[in-house]
Amino acid sequence: MRALRRQYVQAEPAPLPPGGGRAVGHDELLARRERLTREFAELQFDLGGLAYEMAIRDHFRVDLLARRAARLQEVDAELGAVEQLARVEGGGAAGACPNCDALYARGARFCSQCAHPLMRSE
Ligand SMILES: [Zn+2]
């Protein structure tokens, strides 16, 4: 009986990552990468369209372009982080920030998006 119980315990899902956030599997990592890739392509397309509209009217709103470009850059950075995690973690042992849900690598002390501390206070 005792051996059986032990097996059951070992089959439990992996414990929370040391960061204290939610565990993120490889599948979720890939799904996130796909969503970000799509979002990036759409934002890039929109930015191109916006620049074109401004160009044919010879009226540039640089502030508008800069704002859109900043958002594109954010998505690009997030995509880069997800791709790196997918490569490094392989099996998908990264965690998601409990505050903003951004992904982090094993051993991270703070969230790179919102600076939320990730080490659990014991
Ligand atoms: Zn965060």
Side-chain angles (χ1 to χ4, degrees):
M1 262 333 248
R2 200 169 171 77
L4 259 179
R5 178 163 170 75
R6 207 194 192 104
Q7 263 182 352
Y8 172 75
V9 167
Q10 279 175 348
E12 286 281 283
L16 279 178
R22 179 174 60 81
V24 171
H26 196 60
D27 285 352
E28 186 181 336
L29 217 54
L30 295 184
R32 223 182 252 232
R33 182 168 70 180
E34 203 177 303
R35 179 177 60 76
L36 286 168
T37 301
R38 231 186 351 252
E39 196 180 344
F40 181 82
E42 279 168 18
L43 286 169
Q44 200 173 36
F45 184 82
D46 288 351
L47 182 59
L50 187 64
Y52 174 70
E53 292 294 330
M54 290 176 178
I56 57 175
R57 283 170 177 76
D58 196 25
H59 177 73
F60 281 93
R61 290 271 316 273
V62 177
D63 59 325
L64 214 61
L65 289 173
R67 217 179 314 147
R68 295 289 187 95
R71 174 70 192 130
L72 185 62
Q73 201 172 18
E74 270 174 28
V75 172
D76 194 24
E78 202 181 337
L79 183 59
V82 167
E83 278 177 342
Q84 195 186 356
L85 283 173
R87 261 197 314 272
V88 172
E89 301 285 339
C97 171
N99 185 48
C100 75
D101 209 40
L103 299 179
Y104 61 84
R106 222 183 308 226
R109 285 168 182 273
F110 295 95
C111 174
S112 61
Q113 295 287 316
C114 73
H116 187 80
L118 296 170
M119 299 306 281
R120 260 180 296 186
S121 45
E122 316 259 344

